[in-house]
Amino acid sequence: MALLSIVLPAYNEEQNIANTAEVLDKLLQENSIDYEMIFVSDGSKDATFAEIQKAAERNPRIKGAEFSRNFGKEAGIFAGLELASGDAVIVMDCDLQHPPEAIPGMWEKWKNGAEIVEGIKKSRGRESLGYKLSAGLFYKIMSKLIKMDMNASSDFKLLDRKVVQVMLELPERNTFFRALTFWAGFRTETVEYEVQERLYGESKWSFWSLMRYAISNATSFSTLPLQLVTVMGMVSILFSVILAVQTLVKYILGDAVEGFTTVILLILIIGGFIMLSLGVIGHYIARIYEEVKGRPKYIISKITDNVQESVLGSWRK
C-alpha cells in the first residue's frame, strides 16, 4: 500500500499542533490513506516541539524534529522532505489554512499519474487590506523576476518520490521551494482551494518580512536584478548625452547653461543608480559567499523517539 507523507513546518504554533494532528488523522483514516505526519519546529520560542512530542506519543505515525534556531520556512520544508519516507509527499501549513479536504483529491490525481499536484488559491480568504496588498506586491515581483505566474501558487503541493529526490539533490543552500517545483517540470496537475481561517494564533508574515522574502528568493532564483544594473547604466548614459547636447546647443547659441541645478540633478541621478547597482551586485556577492561556505541549510537539535538519531546535525551536501 502506498504511503503518503505530510510535511508541516511550524514556527510558534503550539496552539495548532494537537488540532492539526487530530484533523489530519481523522481525514486520512476516513479516506483509507496510509500516512505519516512530519512536524518540523523551526526554532520555535514557545512549546511547539513539546506539543509535537505529545502528539507523537499519542500517534506513532507522527514524527517531529526541532531546529537549533530559526532557519526559516524553506529550511523547514526541506528538512521535512529529508525525513519523509512516503511514496508521495504533501507540504502544507501547520495552521490548516491549506484545507485538509483538498488532500484526497491530490492523492487521487497522484494515483492517476500526476507527479506534482499544485494547490492553487481561489482566494486569499479573510486578510487585512495591508496584508493582501503586500502579499499581492510580493507575488507580482516574483512573477516578473522568475517569469512564472506565482499569483495563485502556494507551498501547498504534492510531490512524487522522484520529484522529492530531485529537490533533495539540488546543491544550493538558498532555495525557493515554491518556484523550484515549476522549474523541475514533471507531469503537473492542479487542485483549487479556498484559504481557510486560522483557528489559533496570527500569521508570522508582515509587509517587511514578505519583502525580505521576495528579495531573498528573487536573487536565489533569478539574475534579472543584475540585468537591471545594465539598464540603469544605459539610462545614465542617455541622460548624460541629452545634457551634453543641450549644453553644447546653448553654448553655440550664446546662451550657456546657468547655475548648477542641472549638474546637481544629474549627479544625484547617476549617484543613485551607482549606489543601487552596487547594492544589487553586493547582494549577489553575498549569495555567492553563502553558497561557497557550504554551511548546512539547517541543524536539527531534537527529534521525537521514532526518528533515527542519525538526522541530528544533518545537512545536504
Side-chain angles (χ1 to χ4, degrees), residues 5 7-8 38 40 67 75-85 89 298:
S5 298
V7 172
L8 301 124
I38 302 163
V40 180
F67 289 166
I77 290 173
F78 275 84
L81 294 179
E82 185 99 39
L83 295 173
S85 55
V89 180
Y298 56 84

Side-chain angles (χ1 to χ4, degrees), residues 185-245:
F186 294 100
R187 179 181 168 184
T188 302
E189 295 192 25
T190 61
V191 169
E192 290 189 336
Y193 70 92
E194 297 278 356
V195 176
Q196 304 298 300
E197 292 295 305
R198 291 175 62 100
L199 289 179
Y200 307 102
E202 297 178 353
S203 173
K204 311 303 184 295
W205 295 99
S206 64
F207 174 81
W208 292 113
S209 62
L210 276 171
M211 288 303 102
R212 287 196 299 270
Y213 188 60
I215 293 170
S216 174
N217 289 322
T219 53
S220 69
F221 205 82
S222 171
T223 59
L224 183 59
L226 278 176
Q227 297 169 28
L228 292 178
V229 173
T230 303
V231 173
M232 288 188 288
M234 293 174 67
V235 171
S236 296
I237 292 172
L238 180 62
F239 276 140
S240 300
V241 170
I242 292 172
L243 181 61
V245 171

Side-chain angles (χ1 to χ4, degrees), residues 232 236 267-281:
M232 288 188 288
S236 296
I267 290 173
L268 289 174
I269 291 170
I270 295 176
F273 281 168
I274 290 173
M275 296 305 294
L276 181 59
S277 301
L278 288 174
V280 172
I281 295 169

